[in-house]
Amino acid sequence: MPISTINKSIHPYKQNLLQHSLYEKVKTIEDLHLFVENHVYAVWDFMSLLKALQNKLTCTTTPWFASENPETRYLINEIVLAEESDLTLEGTRLSHFEMYVKAMKSCGAQSTEIDTFLQQVLDTKNVFIAIKQSNLHPNVKAFLDFTFRVIEEGKTHKIAAAFTFGREDLIPTMFTEILKNFQENFPDTDLSQLIYYFERHIELDADEHSPMAMRMITALCQDNAQKWREVEETSILALEKRIGLWDAIEEKITQKEMELI
């Protein structure tokens, strides 16, 4: 089952996301705040998918031994380098998650909820308990739970599927649509940090990370039909959870609008 077959299977889900009515609902700065305050969970758990792949595909323990596939080792380390320590707008180094939280604050959004959740993860030492006990929207909980269930299962090709087709492959086009709305709807608001974050993702993912991730999937599955089927299933589930996250954010924006009537 080649990459082209996977892309054909997930095409309807990607189109659903790219044409989601959420984008048209982000009309005010308050809407933008709701968007970033909920989307930040996807930025955070993406880092865990990435680190899970690094643990699987490279040697992160001592004594060091060369991991099996030098090509996938290189691919994942290249992506980790950019995602975990990229250049900020000011020229310093931060992870993309830290950059996103900084961008949230710079445009007036609150990081209180994500900060509280991350503290719960630290306190409980169990991400599933933290998710369950949180006050997050059920769709956000389902989104996070799916990610960490895939990680916990430990199948590298499935983690790579959630990472590649659920995230990396989708980001450039999706974030371009978001950027267009931001620039059109908030011309008088300083969104330089947020726009830089999105543009950086578009630059990295379209030109570098997405092709790398595709090669990684092919190397992991090779001629194993079962693995290809599991990649397809996981990719569809990942996209369904992302659609659910978008639905949740749209619901929150709609609720806010109703409260103002």
Side-chain angles (χ1 to χ4, degrees), residues 48-207:
S48 290
L49 284 169
L50 177 61
K51 297 306 284 187
L53 284 173
Q54 188 181 35
N55 289 337
K56 294 284 186 182
L57 298 173
T58 74
C59 183
T60 57
T61 58
T62 57
W64 177 88
F65 293 94
S67 54
E68 182 179 353
N69 190 317
E71 178 69 10
T72 55
R73 183 196 313 160
Y74 167 77
L75 293 176
I76 201 65
N77 279 333
E78 274 288 297
I79 297 173
V80 168
L81 177 64
E83 295 287 346
E84 200 167 33
S85 51
D86 201 9
L87 279 173
T88 66
L89 187 60
E90 297 81 12
T92 58
R93 295 282 179 182
L94 285 176
S95 70
H96 280 198
F97 172 72
E98 292 167 306
M99 286 170 60
Y100 195 87
V101 172
K102 184 179 179 182
M104 285 171 59
K105 294 177 179 178
S106 73
C107 74
Q110 299 296 315
S111 66
T112 307
E113 190 179 70
I114 181 67
D115 292 340
T116 299
F117 173 73
L118 294 183
Q119 189 59 51
Q120 286 177 312
V121 175
L122 287 171
D123 291 344
T124 60
K125 297 181 174 59
N126 186 313
V127 68
F128 298 108
I129 292 175
I131 293 168
K132 186 175 181 179
Q133 292 180 348
S134 73
N135 295 320
L136 301 176
H137 188 286
N139 288 17
V140 180
K141 288 186 177 185
F143 179 86
L144 291 170
D145 188 78
F146 169 77
T147 294
F148 287 98
R149 296 291 174 192
V150 171
I151 292 172
E152 185 181 53
E153 186 180 359
K155 292 186 176 182
T156 309
H157 60 287
K158 293 181 72 171
I159 300 170
F163 176 88
T164 302
F165 295 104
R167 307 298 182 89
E168 288 293 277
D169 183 45
L170 186 68
I171 283 170
T173 310
M174 185 178 69
F175 276 32
T176 301
E177 291 300 311
I178 295 171
L179 259 181
K180 288 177 183 176
N181 284 311
F182 284 173
Q183 292 173 323
E184 180 179 337
N185 293 327
F186 313 112
D188 299 323
T189 303
D190 181 10
L191 296 172
S192 57
Q193 297 278 351
L194 201 56
I195 288 173
Y196 176 82
Y197 170 86
F198 288 146
E199 288 181 337
R200 188 70 181 131
H201 255 288
I202 291 168
E203 178 186 354
L204 284 173
D205 295 335
D207 297 338

Side-chain angles (χ1 to χ4, degrees), residues 22-40 100 103-110 178-179 181-183 185-195 198 249 252-253 256-257:
L22 168 64
Y23 307 124
E24 297 176 356
K25 295 289 179 65
V26 183
K27 296 177 180 178
T28 68
I29 195 65
E30 291 78 18
D31 297 338
L32 173 59
H33 291 167
L34 280 172
F35 176 86
V36 296
E37 287 166 5
N38 287 275
H39 175 241
V40 69
Y100 195 87
M104 285 171 59
K105 294 177 179 178
S106 73
C107 74
Q110 299 296 315
I178 295 171
L179 259 181
N181 284 311
F182 284 173
Q183 292 173 323
N185 293 327
F186 313 112
D188 299 323
T189 303
D190 181 10
L191 296 172
S192 57
Q193 297 278 351
L194 201 56
I195 288 173
F198 288 146
I249 299 174
K252 283 176 173 282
I253 291 174
K256 177 189 67 67
E257 292 173 347

